[in-house]
Amino acid sequence: MAENGKSFLIDTTKCTACRACQVACKQWNELAAEDPVPTNRGTYENPPDLSANTWVLVRFKETGLSDGTVAWNFLRNSCHHCIDAPCKQMADNSDSITIDAQTGAVLFGEGTKNESFEKIRKACPFNIPRQGSDGQLYKCTMCVDRVHNGDLPACVKVCPVGALQFGDRQDMLDAAADRLDAIRSDYPDAAVLDRKEVRLLLLLGDRQSMYATAAES
Amino acid sequence: MLVTRREFLKTSAFTAGVAITGMGFALGPVEAHAEQLRKNIEGATRTTTICPYCGVGCGFVVHASGGKVINIEGDADHPINEGTACSKGSALYQMAGGNNVNRLTKVRYRAAGATEWEEKSWEWVIGQIAAKIKATRDETFTETNEAGKTVNRTLGIGSLGSAAMDNEECWLYQKFLRALGLVYVEHQARN
Amino acid sequence: MTNHWIDIGNSDVILIMGSNAAENHPISMRWVNKAREDNGAKLIHVDPRFTRTSAVADIYAPLRSGSDIAFLGGMLKYILDNDLIHDEYVKNYTNAAFLVNEDYEFDTTTGLFNGYDADSGAYDKTAWAFQTDEDGVILKDETLQNERCVYQLLKAHYSRYDTATVSGITGTPEAKLTEVYQAYVDACYQPGKSGTIMYAMGWTQHTVGAQNIRTMAMAQLLLGNIGVAGGGVNALRGEANVQGSTDHCLLYHILPGYLKTPEDAQTTLEEYKTKWTPTTNEPRSANWWQHTPKYMVSFLKSMYGEAAMTDNDFGYDWLPKRDSGANYAWQVMFDVMYKQEEGKEIKGFFAWGQNPAGSSANTNKVRQALGKLDWLVCVNIYGTETSEFWRGPGMDPASINTEVFELPCAASIEKEGSISNSGRWAQWRYAAIDPPGDAKPDAEIMDELLTAIKALYSAGGVFPDPILNVKWDYFGQTEKAAVLLAKEINGYHLVDSDNGTAGSLVTNFTKLADDGTTSSGNWLYCQSYNEDGNNMARRKAGGTDSIGLNPEWAWCWPINRRIIYNRASVDMQGNPYDTAHPVIAWNGEGWDGDVPDGGWAPMKNADGTDNPDSKLPFIMRSHGVSQVFGPMADGPIPEHYEPLESPLATNPMGHAQRLNPAVYVPPADEASPVATPGGSEYPIICSTYRVTEHWQSGVMTRWVPWLNELQPEMFVEMSEELATQKGIANGDRVLVKGIRQPGGVKAVAIVTKRFKPFTIQGNTVHQVGIPWCYGWAAPTLDNTRVSNANLLTPNVGDPNTRIPESKAFMVDIVKEA
């Protein structure tokens, strides 16, 4: 794989949940809005879940702190592009889920129509795959079409506050380490999750329980 | 020729040496780089624009083909947003004519007491509105007020509009209204 | 903004108050982050509600909506008590040293300044004049010790704003007040340090809106923060061209370039000039508005072309005149429209790119008022609550005789022209595609209308002169109409002169004349389009400066000056206070850097002697300096008053004046009742606001599926404590009731830790918040969806601006049956 492939770095300490990433993903990938239109469920978070048409979802969680103040944390939910993707291992056909040679992106092809959705979904440690009405499974593609042409994934290019970065994997690992050092005094609980296993490096400023995960939602 | 985004990516060979020209301005290096992705697409144009939502003034590049917008992204050469956007700016594609079935595309008229709209032509509606403006203005125009001073105005017509117009349109709009003698001229700044 | 978006990155500390910048101006946070990373700037957010801005702030402080002057009054006290002022700046660039006449006083018992007339409910501003010598020059005490000098009067006024008093009004814990005051002031009071304020409608939409901003402007001046990089008073404009449309003055009281609209009392152009051209006795005041006659005559030449001649006062009589002192603002217009019998007074109305039936305060009243028109013209890219008003909630179409014309117009990417952002940058944009279907650019619609009207008046009509003589020659020409209009706004030389040949574009506003030899539609935009090209279309980013001025990207008024009042960023000899972020610097012969506020040499010569030929830096003020004491409609120094509707029946400052005494409350009518202050029926404070995913009344976003799915319906945010008290669970359907909408507005409850009850005067007070981007006309037409926030808001306004008090009013909440 060229230069060990690519990775995202998500810096939650900078995210303002403007959700440009969520819309930019739909724009570039020509994904329709959810139909019917979702309701408000007592939260800003919407649509309620990932779907065949929603590959990136920003999840919101507020936590009361011991000093009476509150933290409101935002976590981007999307494919983590595992290095050894369990979804691929679980697939019955070798060509339905492929790994992009240049980037390391985990890609769902038309062949996923012939896979067991439940099996693939359960294999995913992050509960990401969703099935379309055509039977195919869908999720983030790392915008490999853009990346192959030297451009950034749509979600990364659009991020106004520098919460999303993308690049060669080692550069992202280094950037994550540098950022952790820089914020350590302000964020004593900061950590980068699963850095060895996935290509979506999540840098959390607070302890993990203060972020909404797909499993909770 | 109508080009979809997927098609232009499929056909875009990443080769150098093609001059970047456009609407009379030179694209900067960052956007030119992205532009190379699209350069082989016959009929695909790109123009720069400024976001119509808030007052930050972010730049965007609009890619169009066959009279249809096929992609809108942040203008990487714009010094304020540097290619980025918020959720509203990211959704500009869905504002473009042809990409949103909710856009108004016909002149509509609702008669007094009517329960539905009727579609009308521009010719009809311009004649109707012009006649109503003249009738109202002629009926309500005041050359001299109660104090005996010249005022040359009508208080019979009011107007709200608009921070959604271009500067040139704002200038023309106030000219239009003040030529008619309106004093009730207001807009979003008062809200 | 005095400064601009990129300049926020130069700040040493950032206060966001009266704004939720991360949600409503998301890209601003890019530059906030730059200041944090480059300068170690702290981000402080003060807001009734913990928002997405608070989530990334270093310090969040809550305050009760409507108590900003108390909060900031405490900051002024902290600055003044500890003498944390930029001494040289305050003494030389503000009126702190001016002596105020002996009559001036603020009565802490009545709560009134001197000069108040109870019958008219207005102040006589001349009661607050300065002391002068026999030549009319203002007396000053540059030691700031004289008890009548502004500095001492401020100190006395704000001595009452101790943290205990402030906390009792704002509900902010005292320790948090001190933390904010220290974090902001201590980081930026020293010369060379800067702090910026980012505010928006959270400050303007109050009965004390202008004074909210004035309080912070005073702090910024005392700290030496105006004119410098990373400083300023920065209004975050909410609409793409609300700056430009205000510069072009689509408002009853001003003409393009902020020239006053003529009143009936000014019967001739000469009388107009005399009335509106300020004079000064201050020896080194540039008094830039002395050029008013040049700008007015050039405007008239652009209005009427060759028909504007010396012997007809350049068509001055053709301009409509307002009655002296009368008000024709938005609020008044709808009040007149509502109260009239059908078709009696205001018969016709344009809602051009606006949705007042969703965005105006008290939309029930607006909708009723629209039904009294003979005809209504709506121009928009989508259907609106205004164009559909006749079938809105509670309306019976059969009984509404208003004829409605709905005209489809072009969206921004379907036409060419410029818009001006919040930082005053006029940026050109191009048409990517044609408008859909029969839609047309607004300018073409105006042209067709005016052409038809002109034809009608050619055959006769009342006072046809302004219609027949208005200059209107932009369409069907070789050059695009947008280009011709932009050139006319810039202005032309009309005769050959040393400055240019007849027909050439004027270089900038210093070349405009008052004798009819130049035209300029808007003097502030003179230089935007020159002979060498359209400056607004320039695309060269970067530059040689270190502070991100981007002087060759687009164009900025005035005269491409990116930071206004920038001559206050340098010391008496022209050296920048902040050498790391110089805006301008005197090089011995001229100024380097940004376009200076006038090219005069520094205030002092190199040898330290005064330079009598220099000018003071605040050139738009007649005294040449900024006003820490200034005559507003409601007083020269801000004082805390309660909102029209509030949980308090009296003013907690301990005086008799509960409400801003200069506020105009429209005569009561059945559509405009007001909740009793301190009453039990509506005990909860409510504020309206926007969200990232929608825009304004929602017309341009509710119809956009990708945005509507992010925030699909009306909600109300409330504390867990209030929800418990009301038996409401998160996600419940509730009604937000108010005295103007007793049946309530339907909303989904968001029960959150981000709202907390306030302790005000020892009592628990709850506040809730609702977005104003929803209605019943989109994305589906459903007149049972009573979800518009402005059904609840009062149409009472600030006495200076008439902007409504949408940020503080009273409601109750019940679970929907």
Side-chain angles (χ1 to χ4, degrees):
Chain A
M1 190 167 296
E3 296 166 20
N4 217 6
K6 302 286 185 186
S7 283
F8 294 90
L9 172 58
I10 315 292
D11 184 349
T12 58
T13 66
K14 291 183 176 175
C15 180
T16 57
C18 74
R19 300 193 276 181
C21 52
Q22 205 172 311
V23 178
C25 174
K26 294 210 170 196
Q27 206 259 188
W28 179 257
N29 293 300
E30 298 179 299
L31 303 175
E34 299 296 336
D35 184 14
V37 179
T39 57
N40 186 311
R41 298 161 289 118
T43 171
Y44 284 22
E45 187 180 304
N46 240 327
D49 194 11
L50 293 169
S51 77
N53 282 322
T54 300
W55 299 349
V56 171
L57 180 63
V58 177
R59 296 195 183 270
F60 294 63
K61 184 168 184 178
E62 54 186 53
T63 307
L65 303 177
S66 55
D67 63 356
T69 60
V70 62
W72 200 16
N73 286 329
F74 318 116
L75 185 67
R76 169 204 162 109
N77 193 194
S78 65
C79 176
H80 290 226
H81 295 282
C82 300
I83 307 284
D84 291 313
C87 58
K88 178 171 174 56
Q89 293 164 15
M90 197 56 70
D92 293 331
N93 309 297
S94 63
D95 60 348
S96 58
I97 298 178
T98 56
I99 306 298
D100 178 60
Q102 186 181 329
T103 62
V106 179
L107 300 174
F108 286 2
E110 270 194 59
T112 54
K113 285 179 182 172
N114 303 319
E115 298 291 343
S116 159
F117 170 46
E118 280 314 305
K119 203 163 90 179
I120 300 292
R121 182 168 174 168
K122 280 185 182 145
C124 174
F126 306 102
N127 185 19
I128 298 297
R130 295 292 184 272
Q131 189 169 38
S133 55
D134 59 356
Q136 189 173 329
L137 307 190
Y138 291 94
K139 64 162 193 69
C140 162
T141 67
M142 202 190 269
C143 283
V144 283
D145 47 358
R146 294 171 63 98
V147 177
H148 287 175
N149 282 291
D151 217 341
L152 291 167
C155 60
V156 175
K157 186 192 170 193
V158 82
C159 178
V161 291
L164 301 185
Q165 295 177 61
F166 181 84
D168 291 339
R169 178 164 173 78
Q170 191 56 50
D171 291 347
M172 293 299 103
L173 286 166
D174 293 347
D178 289 349
R179 179 68 182 162
L180 269 185
D181 284 346
I183 64 173
R184 183 67 70 194
S185 59
D186 289 337
Y187 297 90
D189 297 326
V192 179
L193 305 186
D194 312 320
R195 72 174 81 199
K196 291 185 178 149
E197 290 85 19
V198 298
R199 293 184 183 278
L200 188 87
L201 305 171
L202 282 177
L203 191 160
L204 305 188
D206 293 318
R207 59 186 191 276
Q208 198 173 343
S209 62
M210 289 171 66
Y211 296 83
T213 62
E216 282 179 78
S217 297
Chain B
M1 167 180 157
L2 197 66
V3 183
T4 68
R5 262 171 288 166
R6 269 186 231 298
E7 282 164 347
F8 82 56
L9 275 167
K10 277 182 205 150
T11 54
S12 67
F14 196 62
T15 55
V18 177
I20 306 296
T21 57
M23 299 296 294
F25 55 83
L27 290 171
V30 185
E31 191 53 44
H33 173 69
E35 183 63 19
Q36 282 188 295
L37 302 177
R38 290 121 187 162
K39 66 184 167 32
N40 286 345
I41 308 305
E42 189 183 348
T45 61
R46 51 101 187 91
T47 48
T48 58
T49 191
I50 304 296
C51 183
Y53 288 113
C54 84
V56 173
C58 296
F60 285 81
V61 178
V62 184
H63 298 93
S65 178
K68 193 173 180 325
V69 167
I70 59 170
N71 188 43
I72 302 183
E73 284 190 32
D75 180 348
D77 293 320
H78 197 284
I80 296 174
N81 61 310
E82 299 179 316
T84 69
C86 70
S87 43
K88 289 190 292 295
S90 300
L92 280 175
Y93 169 89
Q94 281 192 332
M95 181 186 284
N99 293 352
N100 189 324
V101 296
N102 302 312
R103 281 284 300 276
L104 296 177
T105 58
K106 296 283 184 193
V107 171
R108 298 200 294 180
Y109 169 67
R110 183 262 176 189
T115 55
E116 293 297 332
W117 293 105
E118 304 164 48
E119 288 187 4
K120 294 288 186 183
S121 70
W122 275 109
E123 188 184 10
W124 181 88
V125 79
I126 293 292
Q128 285 287 311
I129 298 172
K132 291 201 180 296
I133 290 172
K134 181 169 190 298
T136 304
R137 182 182 180 277
D138 284 358
E139 189 186 335
T140 60
F141 201 82
T142 310
E143 294 189 39
T144 309
N145 67 3
E146 287 174 0
K149 304 281 193 185
T150 301
V151 290
N152 288 334
R153 71 184 181 208
T154 172
L155 298 178
I157 307 174
S159 158
L160 283 182
S162 171
M165 291 181 191
D166 292 346
N167 285 321
E168 295 70 28
E169 292 170 333
C170 289
W171 159 250
L172 191 67
Y173 189 60
Q174 72 84 32
K175 193 173 208 181
F176 169 64
L177 298 179
R178 289 182 167 126
L180 296 177
L182 265 66
V183 173
Y184 284 125
V185 177
E186 287 279 288
H187 87 296
Q188 284 97 333
R190 197 86 68 190
N191 207 354
Chain C
M1 295 168 87
T2 56
N3 297 39
H4 59 99
W5 296 104
I6 293 168
D7 183 65
I8 294 167
N10 294 318
S11 296
D12 292 306
V13 61
I14 296 164
L15 174 61
I16 301 179
M17 184 168 172
S19 154
N20 178 8
E23 298 198 36
N24 297 324
H25 302 86
I27 310 305
S28 68
M29 299 306 284
R30 185 175 185 79
W31 300 100
V32 169
N33 282 356
K34 182 167 167 53
R36 302 173 85 174
E37 283 163 23
D38 288 3
N39 308 330
K42 291 280 185 241
L43 173 62
I44 305 163
H45 189 220
V46 181
D47 200 280
R49 176 182 55 128
F50 187 102
T51 70
R52 284 179 262 189
T53 303
S54 324
V56 293
D58 295 294
I59 301 172
Y60 164 72
L63 90 168
R64 170 177 65 111
S65 198
S67 66
D68 299 73
I69 289 174
F71 191 105
L72 295 172
M75 183 190 281
L76 289 172
K77 177 173 164 56
Y78 175 76
I79 294 169
L80 294 164
D81 282 358
N82 297 290
D83 204 23
L84 300 175
I85 65 170
H86 185 325
D87 196 62
E88 180 179 87
Y89 187 109
V90 168
K91 287 175 176 164
N92 291 281
Y93 299 156
T94 79
N95 65 7
F98 287 21
L99 304 190
V100 180
N101 78 32
E102 296 293 343
D103 295 338
Y104 165 79
E105 70 161 345
F106 177 74
D107 187 325
T108 55
T109 305
T110 63
L112 296 168
F113 294 90
N114 64 317
Y116 186 70
D117 176 36
D119 291 337
S120 61
Y123 281 108
D124 171 11
K125 296 181 193 175
T126 63
W128 314 319
F130 296 115
Q131 300 178 31
T132 56
D133 67 14
E134 59 275 15
D135 296 324
V137 177
I138 293 165
L139 298 177
K140 306 169 186 85
D141 172 23
E142 288 180 3
T143 69
L144 306 182
Q145 297 305 309
N146 187 306
E147 65 176 16
R148 297 307 297 173
C149 84
V150 165
Y151 184 79
Q152 292 298 332
L153 294 175
L154 291 183
K155 221 170 170 172
H157 191 91
Y158 291 106
S159 65
R160 299 173 297 127
Y161 286 73
D162 57 89
T163 52
T165 300
V166 171
S167 177
I169 298 173
T170 63
T172 317
E174 277 191 77
K176 190 59 84 173
L177 289 170
T178 304
E179 184 185 1
V180 171
Y181 299 160
Q182 288 178 344
Y184 188 75
V185 175
D186 294 5
C188 69
Y189 78 92
Q190 289 170 318
K193 292 292 181 185
S194 62
T196 192
I197 169 64
M198 298 162 66
Y199 78 91
M201 309 311 276
W203 271 357
T204 59
Q205 289 178 330
H206 291 280
T207 42
V208 292
Q211 295 282 24
N212 281 337
I213 298 154
R214 183 165 172 71
T215 319
M216 188 67 205
M218 289 160 61
Q220 289 293 74
L221 290 167
L222 293 172
L223 298 166
N225 277 336
I226 307 280
V228 306
V233 172
N234 294 304
L236 312 187
R237 297 291 206 154
E239 307 208 28
N241 200 32
V242 78
Q243 183 66 56
S245 56
T246 306
D247 299 336
H248 289 296
C249 299
L250 304 178
L251 293 162
Y252 85 87
H253 67 299
I254 37 179
L255 297 170
Y258 302 94
L259 302 169
K260 298 290 191 296
T261 50
E263 297 175 327
D264 61 349
Q266 297 109 49
T267 59
T268 64
L269 181 59
E270 207 50 44
E271 288 174 11
Y272 174 92
K273 290 179 187 171
T274 304
K275 168 78 178 174
W276 299 115
T277 308
T279 57
T280 184
N281 296 317
E282 297 304 302
R284 291 200 289 181
S285 170
N287 185 28
W288 199 266
W289 282 112
Q290 68 174 289
H291 302 295
T292 296
K294 299 172 187 173
Y295 306 151
M296 182 63 179
V297 172
S298 295
F299 163 77
L300 289 167
K301 288 298 294 181
S302 301
M303 280 292 288
Y304 306 116
E306 290 177 2
M309 295 176 288
T310 316
D311 59 9
N312 68 356
D313 257 2
F314 301 103
Y316 174 77
D317 261 359
W318 295 334
L319 284 178
K321 313 287 186 295
R322 57 187 161 115
D323 286 351
S324 301
N327 195 298
Y328 304 86
W330 179 314
Q331 173 196 5
V332 175
M333 178 160 49
F334 280 108
D335 199 49
V336 171
M337 201 188 295
Y338 173 80
K339 290 194 173 114
Q340 69 188 354
E341 296 303 311
E342 195 172 302
K344 285 290 190 300
E345 199 161 348
I346 301 177
K347 294 165 180 288
F349 186 69
F350 298 102
W352 202 306
Q354 290 220 220
N355 181 23
S359 67
S360 191
N362 198 357
T363 42
N364 271 330
K365 182 170 178 173
V366 169
R367 204 165 50 241
Q368 297 294 330
L370 293 172
K372 295 184 178 177
L373 295 166
D374 287 353
W375 53 270
L376 168 65
V377 177
C378 296
V379 186
N380 217 305
I381 64 174
Y382 298 109
T384 70
E385 277 73 21
T386 304
S387 68
E388 302 276 6
F389 86 93
W390 44 275
R391 50 178 168 179
M395 304 299 274
D396 169 25
S399 68
I400 295 166
N401 291 321
T402 311
E403 288 181 80
V404 185
F405 303 90
E406 188 183 58
L407 311 183
C409 64
S412 57
I413 56 171
E414 296 153 5
K415 63 184 181 182
E416 183 166 340
S418 71
I419 57 171
S420 300
N421 79 355
S422 197
R424 298 167 286 105
W425 295 13
Q427 303 189 91
W428 198 260
R429 52 189 187 187
Y430 301 86
I433 56 170
D434 290 332
D438 291 345
K440 291 184 183 196
D442 298 275
E444 285 182 32
I445 300 171
M446 292 171 211
D447 177 52
E448 292 187 19
L449 276 176
L450 196 277
T451 303
I453 292 165
K454 217 168 184 169
L456 294 176
Y457 275 95
S458 301
V462 177
F463 199 65
D465 307 45
I467 294 170
L468 298 179
N469 286 310
V470 71
K471 182 174 177 292
W472 198 278
D473 50 3
Y474 323 102
F475 297 87
Q477 311 286 329
T478 314
E479 279 192 284
K480 292 173 185 167
V483 169
L484 290 171
L485 286 162
K487 288 180 174 180
E488 180 170 274
I489 291 166
N490 179 83
Y492 295 97
H493 293 287
L494 304 175
V495 299
D496 289 340
S497 75
D498 292 345
N499 291 326
T501 56
S504 65
L505 293 160
V506 178
T507 317
N508 63 53
F509 55 64
T510 65
K511 312 292 184 197
L512 296 177
D514 63 1
D515 58 1
T517 59
T518 59
S519 69
S520 177
N522 186 333
W523 70 277
L524 272 182
Y525 280 73
C526 192
Q527 196 191 56
S528 60
Y529 210 125
N530 285 157
E531 284 298 324
D532 57 358
N534 181 352
N535 287 326
M536 298 176 285
R538 296 184 299 175
R539 285 182 54 88
K540 187 176 172 192
T544 57
D545 62 87
S546 61
I547 56 170
L549 295 175
N550 288 281
E552 293 177 72
W553 182 275
W555 177 86
C556 154
W557 70 257
I559 213 160
N560 210 32
R561 182 175 304 133
R562 303 283 161 147
I563 296 179
I564 56 180
Y565 305 122
N566 57 28
R567 281 195 311 116
S569 71
V570 296
D571 67 16
M572 297 294 105
Q573 285 164 322
N575 304 306
Y577 288 121
D578 183 354
T579 51
H581 303 99
V583 185
I584 58 168
W586 181 252
N587 63 22
E589 293 170 356
W591 294 96
D592 296 327
D594 195 11
V595 178
D597 263 297
W600 305 284
M603 303 298 295
K604 286 190 173 170
N605 300 310
D607 61 7
T609 56
D610 274 343
N611 172 11
D613 298 327
S614 186
K615 297 290 180 196
L616 291 158
F618 287 83
I619 62 174
M620 305 311 287
R621 310 304 335 164
S622 59
H623 298 149
V625 294
S626 54
Q627 305 178 97
V628 286
F629 180 98
M632 308 272 279
D634 38 7
I637 299 179
E639 171 69 6
H640 170 77
Y641 297 105
E642 285 294 308
L644 177 71
E645 292 185 353
S646 99
L648 302 184
T650 57
N651 192 324
M653 286 306 294
H655 53 64
Q657 192 62 40
R658 192 192 71 87
L659 178 69
N660 182 346
V663 162
Y664 170 77
V665 182
D669 59 58
E670 64 276 19
S672 315
V674 175
T676 308
S680 57
E681 195 177 4
Y682 298 107
I684 303 166
I685 305 168
C686 187
S687 205
T688 67
Y689 41 73
R690 298 198 293 143
V691 293
T692 309
E693 301 81 2
H694 283 293
W695 187 73
Q696 307 299 76
S697 74
V699 168
M700 280 181 21
T701 52
R702 278 182 274 148
W703 290 116
V704 176
W706 285 332
L707 296 175
N708 199 53
E709 75 170 359
L710 295 175
Q711 289 281 18
E713 58 182 325
M714 179 66 173
F715 59 84
V716 52
E717 291 178 277
M718 68 185 75
S719 69
E720 294 174 339
E721 292 83 352
L722 178 63
T724 302
Q725 185 187 319
K726 296 284 181 183
I728 293 168
N730 190 43
D732 278 355
R733 304 265 153 187
V734 301
L735 294 171
V736 184
K737 297 182 169 187
I739 197 163
R740 288 163 294 279
Q741 178 68 16
V745 164
K746 297 180 181 183
V748 174
I750 294 183
V751 178
T752 174
K753 301 178 197 310
R754 297 177 294 99
F755 251 129
K756 297 266 193 250
F758 294 103
T759 302
I760 307 295
Q761 302 295 294
N763 298 315
T764 298
V765 172
H766 293 284
Q767 179 163 352
V768 299
I770 51 176
W772 61 280
C773 48
Y774 297 104
W776 48 270
T780 54
L781 196 74
D782 177 1
N783 67 9
T784 67
R785 192 171 60 232
V786 181
S787 62
N788 178 258
N790 280 314
L791 291 164
L792 297 162
T793 49
N795 54 338
V796 63
D798 171 277
N800 299 280
T801 66
R802 294 297 173 102
I803 289 174
E805 191 160 56
S806 307
K807 287 291 183 277
F809 53 94
M810 302 303 288
V811 300
D812 195 14
I813 304 232
V814 294
K815 197 166 163 173
E816 199 174 355

